mmCIF file with all atom_site columns, all heavy atoms in Angstrom:
data_model
loop_
_atom_site.group_PDB
_atom_site.id
_atom_site.type_symbol
_atom_site.label_atom_id
_atom_site.label_alt_id
_atom_site.label_comp_id
_atom_site.label_asym_id
_atom_site.label_entity_id
_atom_site.label_seq_id
_atom_site.pdbx_PDB_ins_code
_atom_site.Cartn_x
_atom_site.Cartn_y
_atom_site.Cartn_z
_atom_site.occupancy
_atom_site.B_iso_or_equiv
_atom_site.pdbx_formal_charge
_atom_site.auth_seq_id
_atom_site.auth_comp_id
_atom_site.auth_asym_id
_atom_site.auth_atom_id
_atom_site.pdbx_PDB_model_num
ATOM 1   N N   . GLY A 1 1  ? 0.383  -20.174 -0.432 1.00 98.00 ? 4  GLY A N   1
ATOM 2   C CA  . GLY A 1 1  ? 1.037  -19.835 -1.693 1.00 98.00 ? 4  GLY A CA  1
ATOM 3   C C   . GLY A 1 1  ? 2.545  -19.801 -1.546 1.00 98.00 ? 4  GLY A C   1
ATOM 4   O O   . GLY A 1 1  ? 3.114  -20.242 -0.545 1.00 98.00 ? 4  GLY A O   1
ATOM 5   N N   . THR A 1 2  ? 3.211  -19.260 -2.545 1.00 98.00 ? 5  THR A N   1
ATOM 6   C CA  . THR A 1 2  ? 4.660  -19.248 -2.594 1.00 98.00 ? 5  THR A CA  1
ATOM 7   C C   . THR A 1 2  ? 5.229  -17.929 -2.078 1.00 98.00 ? 5  THR A C   1
ATOM 8   O O   . THR A 1 2  ? 4.510  -16.944 -1.930 1.00 98.00 ? 5  THR A O   1
ATOM 9   C CB  . THR A 1 2  ? 5.148  -19.480 -4.030 1.00 98.00 ? 5  THR A CB  1
ATOM 10  O OG1 . THR A 1 2  ? 4.618  -18.432 -4.867 1.00 98.00 ? 5  THR A OG1 1
ATOM 11  C CG2 . THR A 1 2  ? 4.662  -20.830 -4.553 1.00 98.00 ? 5  THR A CG2 1
ATOM 12  N N   . ILE A 1 3  ? 6.526  -17.929 -1.813 1.00 98.00 ? 6  ILE A N   1
ATOM 13  C CA  . ILE A 1 3  ? 7.237  -16.699 -1.450 1.00 98.00 ? 6  ILE A CA  1
ATOM 14  C C   . ILE A 1 3  ? 7.481  -15.913 -2.733 1.00 98.00 ? 6  ILE A C   1
ATOM 15  O O   . ILE A 1 3  ? 8.133  -16.418 -3.644 1.00 98.00 ? 6  ILE A O   1
ATOM 16  C CB  . ILE A 1 3  ? 8.566  -17.018 -0.754 1.00 98.00 ? 6  ILE A CB  1
ATOM 17  C CG1 . ILE A 1 3  ? 8.330  -17.812 0.530  1.00 98.00 ? 6  ILE A CG1 1
ATOM 18  C CG2 . ILE A 1 3  ? 9.339  -15.735 -0.451 1.00 98.00 ? 6  ILE A CG2 1
ATOM 19  C CD1 . ILE A 1 3  ? 9.596  -18.298 1.193  1.00 98.00 ? 6  ILE A CD1 1
ATOM 20  N N   . PRO A 1 4  ? 6.958  -14.708 -2.848 1.00 98.00 ? 7  PRO A N   1
ATOM 21  C CA  . PRO A 1 4  ? 7.120  -13.958 -4.110 1.00 98.00 ? 7  PRO A CA  1
ATOM 22  C C   . PRO A 1 4  ? 8.591  -13.654 -4.398 1.00 98.00 ? 7  PRO A C   1
ATOM 23  O O   . PRO A 1 4  ? 9.297  -13.132 -3.528 1.00 98.00 ? 7  PRO A O   1
ATOM 24  C CB  . PRO A 1 4  ? 6.349  -12.658 -3.849 1.00 98.00 ? 7  PRO A CB  1
ATOM 25  C CG  . PRO A 1 4  ? 5.452  -12.942 -2.694 1.00 98.00 ? 7  PRO A CG  1
ATOM 26  C CD  . PRO A 1 4  ? 6.160  -13.956 -1.862 1.00 98.00 ? 7  PRO A CD  1
ATOM 27  N N   . PRO A 1 5  ? 9.064  -13.959 -5.585 1.00 98.00 ? 8  PRO A N   1
ATOM 28  C CA  . PRO A 1 5  ? 10.452 -13.607 -5.928 1.00 98.00 ? 8  PRO A CA  1
ATOM 29  C C   . PRO A 1 5  ? 10.682 -12.107 -5.900 1.00 98.00 ? 8  PRO A C   1
ATOM 30  O O   . PRO A 1 5  ? 11.822 -11.652 -5.755 1.00 98.00 ? 8  PRO A O   1
ATOM 31  C CB  . PRO A 1 5  ? 10.624 -14.180 -7.333 1.00 98.00 ? 8  PRO A CB  1
ATOM 32  C CG  . PRO A 1 5  ? 9.241  -14.359 -7.870 1.00 98.00 ? 8  PRO A CG  1
ATOM 33  C CD  . PRO A 1 5  ? 8.389  -14.657 -6.691 1.00 98.00 ? 8  PRO A CD  1
ATOM 34  N N   . GLU A 1 6  ? 9.603  -11.315 -5.993 1.00 98.00 ? 9  GLU A N   1
ATOM 35  C CA  . GLU A 1 6  ? 9.727  -9.858  -5.964 1.00 98.00 ? 9  GLU A CA  1
ATOM 36  C C   . GLU A 1 6  ? 10.302 -9.343  -4.650 1.00 98.00 ? 9  GLU A C   1
ATOM 37  O O   . GLU A 1 6  ? 10.822 -8.213  -4.594 1.00 98.00 ? 9  GLU A O   1
ATOM 38  C CB  . GLU A 1 6  ? 8.367  -9.202  -6.217 1.00 98.00 ? 9  GLU A CB  1
ATOM 39  C CG  . GLU A 1 6  ? 7.849  -9.334  -7.637 1.00 98.00 ? 9  GLU A CG  1
ATOM 40  C CD  . GLU A 1 6  ? 7.138  -10.659 -7.905 1.00 98.00 ? 9  GLU A CD  1
ATOM 41  O OE1 . GLU A 1 6  ? 7.101  -11.516 -6.990 1.00 98.00 ? 9  GLU A OE1 1
ATOM 42  O OE2 . GLU A 1 6  ? 6.627  -10.841 -9.020 1.00 98.00 ? 9  GLU A OE2 1
ATOM 43  N N   . LEU A 1 7  ? 10.214 -10.153 -3.586 1.00 98.00 ? 10 LEU A N   1
ATOM 44  C CA  . LEU A 1 7  ? 10.812 -9.727  -2.321 1.00 98.00 ? 10 LEU A CA  1
ATOM 45  C C   . LEU A 1 7  ? 12.318 -9.559  -2.450 1.00 98.00 ? 10 LEU A C   1
ATOM 46  O O   . LEU A 1 7  ? 12.944 -8.858  -1.646 1.00 98.00 ? 10 LEU A O   1
ATOM 47  C CB  . LEU A 1 7  ? 10.481 -10.727 -1.207 1.00 98.00 ? 10 LEU A CB  1
ATOM 48  C CG  . LEU A 1 7  ? 9.004  -10.877 -0.839 1.00 98.00 ? 10 LEU A CG  1
ATOM 49  C CD1 . LEU A 1 7  ? 8.855  -11.818 0.349  1.00 98.00 ? 10 LEU A CD1 1
ATOM 50  C CD2 . LEU A 1 7  ? 8.366  -9.521  -0.523 1.00 98.00 ? 10 LEU A CD2 1
ATOM 51  N N   . GLY A 1 8  ? 12.910 -10.166 -3.453 1.00 98.00 ? 11 GLY A N   1
ATOM 52  C CA  . GLY A 1 8  ? 14.330 -9.996  -3.714 1.00 98.00 ? 11 GLY A CA  1
ATOM 53  C C   . GLY A 1 8  ? 14.706 -8.598  -4.158 1.00 98.00 ? 11 GLY A C   1
ATOM 54  O O   . GLY A 1 8  ? 15.895 -8.266  -4.244 1.00 98.00 ? 11 GLY A O   1
ATOM 55  N N   . ASN A 1 9  ? 13.701 -7.750  -4.424 1.00 98.00 ? 12 ASN A N   1
ATOM 56  C CA  . ASN A 1 9  ? 13.960 -6.364  -4.816 1.00 98.00 ? 12 ASN A CA  1
ATOM 57  C C   . ASN A 1 9  ? 14.212 -5.456  -3.617 1.00 98.00 ? 12 ASN A C   1
ATOM 58  O O   . ASN A 1 9  ? 14.622 -4.308  -3.794 1.00 98.00 ? 12 ASN A O   1
ATOM 59  C CB  . ASN A 1 9  ? 12.769 -5.800  -5.598 1.00 98.00 ? 12 ASN A CB  1
ATOM 60  C CG  . ASN A 1 9  ? 12.517 -6.535  -6.898 1.00 98.00 ? 12 ASN A CG  1
ATOM 61  O OD1 . ASN A 1 9  ? 13.431 -7.070  -7.496 1.00 98.00 ? 12 ASN A OD1 1
ATOM 62  N ND2 . ASN A 1 9  ? 11.268 -6.555  -7.324 1.00 98.00 ? 12 ASN A ND2 1
ATOM 63  N N   . LEU A 1 10 ? 13.971 -5.965  -2.401 1.00 98.00 ? 13 LEU A N   1
ATOM 64  C CA  . LEU A 1 10 ? 14.040 -5.131  -1.192 1.00 98.00 ? 13 LEU A CA  1
ATOM 65  C C   . LEU A 1 10 ? 15.481 -5.042  -0.702 1.00 98.00 ? 13 LEU A C   1
ATOM 66  O O   . LEU A 1 10 ? 15.862 -5.654  0.292  1.00 98.00 ? 13 LEU A O   1
ATOM 67  C CB  . LEU A 1 10 ? 13.114 -5.705  -0.114 1.00 98.00 ? 13 LEU A CB  1
ATOM 68  C CG  . LEU A 1 10 ? 11.653 -5.896  -0.541 1.00 98.00 ? 13 LEU A CG  1
ATOM 69  C CD1 . LEU A 1 10 ? 10.848 -6.555  0.558  1.00 98.00 ? 13 LEU A CD1 1
ATOM 70  C CD2 . LEU A 1 10 ? 11.036 -4.551  -0.927 1.00 98.00 ? 13 LEU A CD2 1
ATOM 71  N N   . VAL A 1 11 ? 16.272 -4.256  -1.382 1.00 96.00 ? 14 VAL A N   1
ATOM 72  C CA  . VAL A 1 11 ? 17.731 -4.270  -1.176 1.00 96.00 ? 14 VAL A CA  1
ATOM 73  C C   . VAL A 1 11 ? 18.153 -3.756  0.186  1.00 96.00 ? 14 VAL A C   1
ATOM 74  O O   . VAL A 1 11 ? 19.281 -4.027  0.630  1.00 96.00 ? 14 VAL A O   1
ATOM 75  C CB  . VAL A 1 11 ? 18.441 -3.470  -2.285 1.00 96.00 ? 14 VAL A CB  1
ATOM 76  C CG1 . VAL A 1 11 ? 18.250 -4.151  -3.629 1.00 96.00 ? 14 VAL A CG1 1
ATOM 77  C CG2 . VAL A 1 11 ? 17.920 -2.027  -2.335 1.00 96.00 ? 14 VAL A CG2 1
ATOM 78  N N   . TYR A 1 12 ? 17.286 -3.017  0.891  1.00 98.00 ? 15 TYR A N   1
ATOM 79  C CA  . TYR A 1 12 ? 17.629 -2.523  2.226  1.00 98.00 ? 15 TYR A CA  1
ATOM 80  C C   . TYR A 1 12 ? 17.127 -3.428  3.341  1.00 98.00 ? 15 TYR A C   1
ATOM 81  O O   . TYR A 1 12 ? 17.338 -3.142  4.520  1.00 98.00 ? 15 TYR A O   1
ATOM 82  C CB  . TYR A 1 12 ? 17.080 -1.111  2.433  1.00 98.00 ? 15 TYR A CB  1
ATOM 83  C CG  . TYR A 1 12 ? 17.734 -0.075  1.555  1.00 98.00 ? 15 TYR A CG  1
ATOM 84  C CD1 . TYR A 1 12 ? 17.057 0.482   0.469  1.00 98.00 ? 15 TYR A CD1 1
ATOM 85  C CD2 . TYR A 1 12 ? 19.040 0.344   1.798  1.00 98.00 ? 15 TYR A CD2 1
ATOM 86  C CE1 . TYR A 1 12 ? 17.655 1.430   -0.343 1.00 98.00 ? 15 TYR A CE1 1
ATOM 87  C CE2 . TYR A 1 12 ? 19.654 1.292   0.983  1.00 98.00 ? 15 TYR A CE2 1
ATOM 88  C CZ  . TYR A 1 12 ? 18.956 1.832   -0.083 1.00 98.00 ? 15 TYR A CZ  1
ATOM 89  O OH  . TYR A 1 12 ? 19.564 2.760   -0.884 1.00 98.00 ? 15 TYR A OH  1
ATOM 90  N N   . LEU A 1 13 ? 16.474 -4.517  2.975  1.00 98.00 ? 16 LEU A N   1
ATOM 91  C CA  . LEU A 1 13 ? 15.852 -5.378  3.967  1.00 98.00 ? 16 LEU A CA  1
ATOM 92  C C   . LEU A 1 13 ? 16.889 -6.023  4.880  1.00 98.00 ? 16 LEU A C   1
ATOM 93  O O   . LEU A 1 13 ? 17.876 -6.594  4.418  1.00 98.00 ? 16 LEU A O   1
ATOM 94  C CB  . LEU A 1 13 ? 15.034 -6.469  3.266  1.00 98.00 ? 16 LEU A CB  1
ATOM 95  C CG  . LEU A 1 13 ? 13.927 -7.123  4.098  1.00 98.00 ? 16 LEU A CG  1
ATOM 96  C CD1 . LEU A 1 13 ? 12.849 -6.107  4.453  1.00 98.00 ? 16 LEU A CD1 1
ATOM 97  C CD2 . LEU A 1 13 ? 13.311 -8.295  3.350  1.00 98.00 ? 16 LEU A CD2 1
ATOM 98  N N   . GLU A 1 14 ? 16.635 -5.921  6.196  1.00 98.00 ? 17 GLU A N   1
ATOM 99  C CA  . GLU A 1 14 ? 17.500 -6.522  7.192  1.00 98.00 ? 17 GLU A CA  1
ATOM 100 C C   . GLU A 1 14 ? 16.851 -7.722  7.877  1.00 98.00 ? 17 GLU A C   1
ATOM 101 O O   . GLU A 1 14 ? 17.548 -8.644  8.288  1.00 98.00 ? 17 GLU A O   1
ATOM 102 C CB  . GLU A 1 14 ? 17.897 -5.487  8.248  1.00 98.00 ? 17 GLU A CB  1
ATOM 103 C CG  . GLU A 1 14 ? 18.709 -4.325  7.691  1.00 98.00 ? 17 GLU A CG  1
ATOM 104 C CD  . GLU A 1 14 ? 19.051 -3.284  8.741  1.00 98.00 ? 17 GLU A CD  1
ATOM 105 O OE1 . GLU A 1 14 ? 18.601 -3.448  9.904  1.00 98.00 ? 17 GLU A OE1 1
ATOM 106 O OE2 . GLU A 1 14 ? 19.751 -2.322  8.415  1.00 98.00 ? 17 GLU A OE2 1
ATOM 107 N N   . THR A 1 15 ? 15.535 -7.704  7.983  1.00 98.00 ? 18 THR A N   1
ATOM 108 C CA  . THR A 1 15 ? 14.798 -8.806  8.611  1.00 98.00 ? 18 THR A CA  1
ATOM 109 C C   . THR A 1 15 ? 13.648 -9.236  7.705  1.00 98.00 ? 18 THR A C   1
ATOM 110 O O   . THR A 1 15 ? 12.819 -8.408  7.324  1.00 98.00 ? 18 THR A O   1
ATOM 111 C CB  . THR A 1 15 ? 14.231 -8.385  9.978  1.00 98.00 ? 18 THR A CB  1
ATOM 112 O OG1 . THR A 1 15 ? 15.289 -8.034  10.857 1.00 98.00 ? 18 THR A OG1 1
ATOM 113 C CG2 . THR A 1 15 ? 13.427 -9.533  10.600 1.00 98.00 ? 18 THR A CG2 1
ATOM 114 N N   . LEU A 1 16 ? 13.616 -10.528 7.385  1.00 98.00 ? 19 LEU A N   1
ATOM 115 C CA  . LEU A 1 16 ? 12.516 -11.117 6.628  1.00 98.00 ? 19 LEU A CA  1
ATOM 116 C C   . LEU A 1 16 ? 12.015 -12.311 7.417  1.00 98.00 ? 19 LEU A C   1
ATOM 117 O O   . LEU A 1 16 ? 12.681 -13.345 7.505  1.00 98.00 ? 19 LEU A O   1
ATOM 118 C CB  . LEU A 1 16 ? 12.982 -11.551 5.246  1.00 98.00 ? 19 LEU A CB  1
ATOM 119 C CG  . LEU A 1 16 ? 11.930 -12.259 4.370  1.00 98.00 ? 19 LEU A CG  1
ATOM 120 C CD1 . LEU A 1 16 ? 10.709 -11.390 4.162  1.00 98.00 ? 19 LEU A CD1 1
ATOM 121 C CD2 . LEU A 1 16 ? 12.532 -12.662 3.027  1.00 98.00 ? 19 LEU A CD2 1
ATOM 122 N N   . SER A 1 17 ? 10.845 -12.154 8.018  1.00 98.00 ? 20 SER A N   1
ATOM 123 C CA  . SER A 1 17 ? 10.317 -13.178 8.909  1.00 98.00 ? 20 SER A CA  1
ATOM 124 C C   . SER A 1 17 ? 8.974  -13.677 8.384  1.00 98.00 ? 20 SER A C   1
ATOM 125 O O   . SER A 1 17 ? 7.967  -12.955 8.422  1.00 98.00 ? 20 SER A O   1
ATOM 126 C CB  . SER A 1 17 ? 10.149 -12.600 10.326 1.00 98.00 ? 20 SER A CB  1
ATOM 127 O OG  . SER A 1 17 ? 9.827  -13.608 11.255 1.00 98.00 ? 20 SER A OG  1
ATOM 128 N N   . LEU A 1 18 ? 8.986  -14.909 7.872  1.00 98.00 ? 21 LEU A N   1
ATOM 129 C CA  . LEU A 1 18 ? 7.801  -15.509 7.250  1.00 98.00 ? 21 LEU A CA  1
ATOM 130 C C   . LEU A 1 18 ? 7.407  -16.814 7.924  1.00 98.00 ? 21 LEU A C   1
ATOM 131 O O   . LEU A 1 18 ? 6.602  -17.569 7.386  1.00 98.00 ? 21 LEU A O   1
ATOM 132 C CB  . LEU A 1 18 ? 8.082  -15.774 5.764  1.00 98.00 ? 21 LEU A CB  1
ATOM 133 C CG  . LEU A 1 18 ? 8.588  -14.597 4.924  1.00 98.00 ? 21 LEU A CG  1
ATOM 134 C CD1 . LEU A 1 18 ? 8.883  -15.058 3.501  1.00 98.00 ? 21 LEU A CD1 1
ATOM 135 C CD2 . LEU A 1 18 ? 7.584  -13.457 4.923  1.00 98.00 ? 21 LEU A CD2 1
ATOM 136 N N   . GLY A 1 19 ? 7.965  -17.104 9.086  1.00 97.00 ? 22 GLY A N   1
ATOM 137 C CA  . GLY A 1 19 ? 7.747  -18.390 9.734  1.00 97.00 ? 22 GLY A CA  1
ATOM 138 C C   . GLY A 1 19 ? 6.331  -18.605 10.220 1.00 97.00 ? 22 GLY A C   1
ATOM 139 O O   . GLY A 1 19 ? 5.518  -17.683 10.318 1.00 97.00 ? 22 GLY A O   1
ATOM 140 N N   . ARG A 1 20 ? 6.020  -19.871 10.483 1.00 98.00 ? 23 ARG A N   1
ATOM 141 C CA  . ARG A 1 20 ? 4.739  -20.292 11.047 1.00 98.00 ? 23 ARG A CA  1
ATOM 142 C C   . ARG A 1 20 ? 3.549  -19.819 10.212 1.00 98.00 ? 23 ARG A C   1
ATOM 143 O O   . ARG A 1 20 ? 2.635  -19.162 10.696 1.00 98.00 ? 23 ARG A O   1
ATOM 144 C CB  . ARG A 1 20 ? 4.597  -19.849 12.505 1.00 98.00 ? 23 ARG A CB  1
ATOM 145 C CG  . ARG A 1 20 ? 5.651  -20.435 13.414 1.00 98.00 ? 23 ARG A CG  1
ATOM 146 C CD  . ARG A 1 20 ? 5.276  -20.377 14.877 1.00 98.00 ? 23 ARG A CD  1
ATOM 147 N NE  . ARG A 1 20 ? 5.036  -19.028 15.352 1.00 98.00 ? 23 ARG A NE  1
ATOM 148 C CZ  . ARG A 1 20 ? 5.994  -18.161 15.703 1.00 98.00 ? 23 ARG A CZ  1
ATOM 149 N NH1 . ARG A 1 20 ? 7.271  -18.517 15.614 1.00 98.00 ? 23 ARG A NH1 1
ATOM 150 N NH2 . ARG A 1 20 ? 5.689  -16.973 16.149 1.00 98.00 ? 23 ARG A NH2 1
ATOM 151 N N   . ASN A 1 21 ? 3.610  -20.156 8.928  1.00 98.00 ? 24 ASN A N   1
ATOM 152 C CA  . ASN A 1 21 ? 2.491  -19.961 8.015  1.00 98.00 ? 24 ASN A CA  1
ATOM 153 C C   . ASN A 1 21 ? 2.228  -21.281 7.290  1.00 98.00 ? 24 ASN A C   1
ATOM 154 O O   . ASN A 1 21 ? 2.568  -22.349 7.801  1.00 98.00 ? 24 ASN A O   1
ATOM 155 C CB  . ASN A 1 21 ? 2.803  -18.828 7.037  1.00 98.00 ? 24 ASN A CB  1
ATOM 156 C CG  . ASN A 1 21 ? 2.599  -17.457 7.657  1.00 98.00 ? 24 ASN A CG  1
ATOM 157 O OD1 . ASN A 1 21 ? 1.470  -17.045 7.926  1.00 98.00 ? 24 ASN A OD1 1
ATOM 158 N ND2 . ASN A 1 21 ? 3.690  -16.731 7.894  1.00 98.00 ? 24 ASN A ND2 1
ATOM 159 N N   . GLN A 1 22 ? 1.649  -21.218 6.119  1.00 98.00 ? 25 GLN A N   1
ATOM 160 C CA  . GLN A 1 22 ? 1.387  -22.427 5.329  1.00 98.00 ? 25 GLN A CA  1
ATOM 161 C C   . GLN A 1 22 ? 1.931  -22.244 3.917  1.00 98.00 ? 25 GLN A C   1
ATOM 162 O O   . GLN A 1 22 ? 1.328  -22.676 2.942  1.00 98.00 ? 25 GLN A O   1
ATOM 163 C CB  . GLN A 1 22 ? -0.119 -22.709 5.304  1.00 98.00 ? 25 GLN A CB  1
ATOM 164 C CG  . GLN A 1 22 ? -0.732 -22.939 6.682  1.00 98.00 ? 25 GLN A CG  1
ATOM 165 C CD  . GLN A 1 22 ? -2.240 -22.983 6.678  1.00 98.00 ? 25 GLN A CD  1
ATOM 166 O OE1 . GLN A 1 22 ? -2.860 -23.357 5.682  1.00 98.00 ? 25 GLN A OE1 1
ATOM 167 N NE2 . GLN A 1 22 ? -2.860 -22.600 7.782  1.00 98.00 ? 25 GLN A NE2 1
ATOM 168 N N   . LEU A 1 23 ? 3.091  -21.619 3.836  1.00 98.00 ? 26 LEU A N   1
ATOM 169 C CA  . LEU A 1 23 ? 3.696  -21.324 2.544  1.00 98.00 ? 26 LEU A CA  1
ATOM 170 C C   . LEU A 1 23 ? 4.210  -22.594 1.880  1.00 98.00 ? 26 LEU A C   1
ATOM 171 O O   . LEU A 1 23 ? 4.721  -23.493 2.556  1.00 98.00 ? 26 LEU A O   1
ATOM 172 C CB  . LEU A 1 23 ? 4.840  -20.320 2.717  1.00 98.00 ? 26 LEU A CB  1
ATOM 173 C CG  . LEU A 1 23 ? 4.435  -18.967 3.325  1.00 98.00 ? 26 LEU A CG  1
ATOM 174 C CD1 . LEU A 1 23 ? 5.667  -18.112 3.580  1.00 98.00 ? 26 LEU A CD1 1
ATOM 175 C CD2 . LEU A 1 23 ? 3.444  -18.242 2.426  1.00 98.00 ? 26 LEU A CD2 1
ATOM 176 N N   . THR A 1 24 ? 4.090  -22.651 0.573  1.00 98.00 ? 27 THR A N   1
ATOM 177 C CA  . THR A 1 24 ? 4.507  -23.828 -0.188 1.00 98.00 ? 27 THR A CA  1
ATOM 178 C C   . THR A 1 24 ? 5.493  -23.409 -1.287 1.00 98.00 ? 27 THR A C   1
ATOM 179 O O   . THR A 1 24 ? 5.823  -22.244 -1.437 1.00 98.00 ? 27 THR A O   1
ATOM 180 C CB  . THR A 1 24 ? 3.287  -24.516 -0.818 1.00 98.00 ? 27 THR A CB  1
ATOM 181 O OG1 . THR A 1 24 ? 2.569  -23.553 -1.622 1.00 98.00 ? 27 THR A OG1 1
ATOM 182 C CG2 . THR A 1 24 ? 2.350  -25.058 0.243  1.00 98.00 ? 27 THR A CG2 1
#
């Protein structure tokens, strides 16, 4: 599936690691 745009709400996020999946 896709990367949820809702992740943009995580204003304190320092690390976002989504590699090595099957995201489209």
